[in-house]
Amino acid sequence: MNRKILAMLALLAVAVASVGCQSISLLTVEGAGANASAQEHLAALRRSAGLSILSPDAQLERAARQQAEFMAASGRMVHTTARGRDFLTRVRGNGIEGAAAENIAYGRFGLDGLFSAWMNSSGHRRNMLDKRFTRFGLASAKAGDRRYWALVLAK
């Protein structure tokens, strides 16, 4: 009888502990955080505007991943992080100097929907077509059925 009670209590403790946890999973990406599809999307968008293509960059991916993970963990789509660090502080902390910009999004869409949404937003479109930028990093994190995305662009 005591064994059954202990086993049930242990099972209950595991169940309670798991309810408080929020699952975050990173999108598996290649090429310094940008899979071939993302790189192709950006290249096509920039070529159609007569601009040079962007190169995937590990530093920018790290900054994008930090933001995507924070947004997924907090359930908020913001450009700041838990300690109130703004975008500029985060990119400088990752060794990124010069001009930089960030696009963020959340939803249940894949890359096609993501880039379509950004292109239909004047501010996001302007960031992706900024001729000063030569590099990018894309990352996402998932919380529940929602995926949070961050794209960091820089010189």
Side-chain angles (χ1 to χ4, degrees):
M1 182 77 124
N2 287 338
R3 260 188 172 164
K4 282 185 179 180
I5 293 173
L6 286 174
M8 287 174 37
L9 287 174
L11 184 59
L12 181 61
V14 168
V16 169
S18 67
V19 169
C21 294
Q22 186 172 19
S23 174
I24 299 172
S25 62
L26 287 179
L27 175 69
T28 303
V29 289
E30 304 166 3
N35 63 22
S37 296
Q39 192 169 3
E40 289 171 16
H41 278 292
L42 283 167
L45 295 173
R46 289 181 61 90
R47 270 196 296 267
S48 70
L51 300 169
S52 62
I53 63 170
L54 302 173
S55 300
D57 183 90
Q59 281 180 307
L60 301 181
E61 178 203 356
R62 184 171 46 251
R65 190 174 56 245
Q66 289 168 352
Q67 192 59 26
E69 289 173 349
F70 170 74
M71 291 187 303
S74 68
R76 296 180 10 206
M77 194 176 78
V78 295
H79 288 281
T80 57
T81 61
R83 297 182 196 147
R85 290 178 58 191
D86 62 7
F87 171 69
L88 185 59
T89 303
R90 184 165 28 90
V91 294
R92 298 299 181 253
N94 280 293
I96 301 161
E97 297 296 328
E102 176 177 72
N103 287 358
I104 58 175
Y106 76 95
R108 296 182 182 129
F109 43 72
L111 290 173
D112 289 336
L114 174 69
F115 283 100
S116 177
W118 279 339
M119 285 302 286
N120 287 313
S121 162
S122 61
H124 295 105
R125 179 185 179 93
R126 184 175 50 249
N127 286 343
M128 292 187 298
L129 299 180
D130 190 316
K131 58 183 155 188
R132 296 174 297 168
F133 300 144
T134 60
R135 306 175 292 144
F136 77 99
L138 176 68
S140 74
K142 191 172 179 185
D145 64 348
R146 199 175 270 179
R147 185 168 296 282
Y148 290 82
W149 299 89
L151 171 69
V152 177
L153 305 135
K155 200 169 148 178

